[in-house]
Amino acid sequence: QKEVEQDPGPLSVPEGAIVSLNCTYSNSAFQYFMWYRQYSRKGPELLMYTYSSGNKEDGRFTAQVDKSSKYISLFIRDSQPSDSATYLCAMRLENFNKFYFGSGTKLNVKP
Amino acid sequence: KAGVTQTPRYLIKTRGQQVTLSCSPISGHRSVSWYQQTPGQGLQFLFEYFSETQRNKGNFPGRFSGRQFSNSRSEMNVSTLELGDSALYLCASSSLVGQDYEQYFGPGTRLTVT
């Protein structure tokens, strides 16, 4: 079993929709949680970074962490065609700069 | 501030050869990590260097090695290339901000082994 599980999609939504992306993990020691966006033929770009359980909002993006369920989510409001990319969740342990990534969910926002 | 740069961007090698990839981190970042990204396995951690020392290591064979120089630039070497080494190799540089490691990726080097 992989330490971080993520549905690969693809996920196709109409422009303006609310998108929900999710990851589950098995290691309860993970303390830091991140979401990256990766466009085709580019490196991943850091979108959101959270430490504790709860919600963190940044513009149209909201990251949610539920440590008791070992479940993290990324919500995108008013999705745009420019949001079409692969979204990767990542997490790491306390005091270790080693990141564990999900396999990525490919999102397509149709105009 | 300039981002993470990687050279070369594309590389084609033959099975059995060796290859060296280069990464220049964001100015001021002392930690450099390397990842392999393939469609089947996703992003897998190779190793992390901090102040010229390997600090963390993933589960890759010894054919994969790296080093870091005093200016924080890093190189990754793969010897005796196999077809399965074809992948996007990503370098990420990190700085410790409080207790947070903020990690930023370069554009990657796409390696094709024939």
Side-chain angles (χ1 to χ4, degrees), chain A residues 2 32 34 36 38 41-46 49 51 88 92 94-99 101-103, chain B residues 9 31 33 35 37 41 43 45 48 55-57 88 90 94 99-101 103-107 110:
Chain A
K2 285 189 174 181
Y32 297 87
M34 288 128 287
Y36 285 84
Q38 187 174 23
R41 302 202 169 273
K42 302 277 188 184
E45 168 195 10
L46 180 64
Y49 191 111
Y51 170 65
L88 298 146
R92 69 171 184 87
E94 186 99 46
N95 298 323
F96 280 91
N97 191 21
K98 178 179 175 180
F99 290 69
F101 281 83
S103 55
Chain B
R9 294 292 312 278
S31 167
S33 299
Y35 292 83
Q37 188 176 33
Q41 298 296 318
L43 259 166
F45 175 81
E48 183 221 2
R55 188 163 66 170
N56 288 296
K57 190 177 188 306
L88 180 67
L90 291 158
S94 302
Q99 292 186 54
D100 296 341
Y101 280 106
Q103 181 173 247
Y104 299 89
F105 283 89
R110 186 163 296 278

Side-chain angles (χ1 to χ4, degrees), chain B:
Chain B
K1 198 184 251 189
V4 180
T5 58
Q6 291 187 246
T7 56
R9 294 292 312 278
Y10 302 92
L11 207 49
I12 300 175
K13 288 287 187 178
T14 304
R15 195 169 45 181
Q17 288 185 313
Q18 75 163 16
V19 67
T20 299
L21 312 181
S22 181
C23 171
S24 291
I26 292 171
S27 177
H29 286 194
R30 295 166 62 190
S31 167
V32 174
S33 299
W34 288 90
Y35 292 83
Q36 181 195 66
Q37 188 176 33
T38 59
Q41 298 296 318
L43 259 166
Q44 292 187 283
F45 175 81
L46 281 154
F47 30 66
E48 183 221 2
Y49 284 87
F50 180 83
S51 292
E52 302 178 64
T53 301
Q54 189 180 88
R55 188 163 66 170
N56 288 296
K57 190 177 188 306
N59 298 322
F60 277 80
R63 299 186 298 108
F64 293 83
S65 63
R67 59 177 176 168
Q68 187 180 32
F69 302 96
S70 58
N71 62 358
S72 294
R73 191 177 69 85
S74 177
E75 288 182 346
M76 191 192 91
N77 184 274
V78 188
S79 62
T80 320
L81 283 165
E82 300 177 0
L83 295 178
D85 296 334
S86 294
L88 180 67
Y89 289 89
L90 291 158
C91 166
S93 78
S94 302
S95 68
L96 188 59
V97 181
Q99 292 186 54
D100 296 341
Y101 280 106
E102 294 191 348
Q103 181 173 247
Y104 299 89
F105 283 89
T109 294
R110 186 163 296 278
L111 172 66
T112 302
V113 182
T114 62

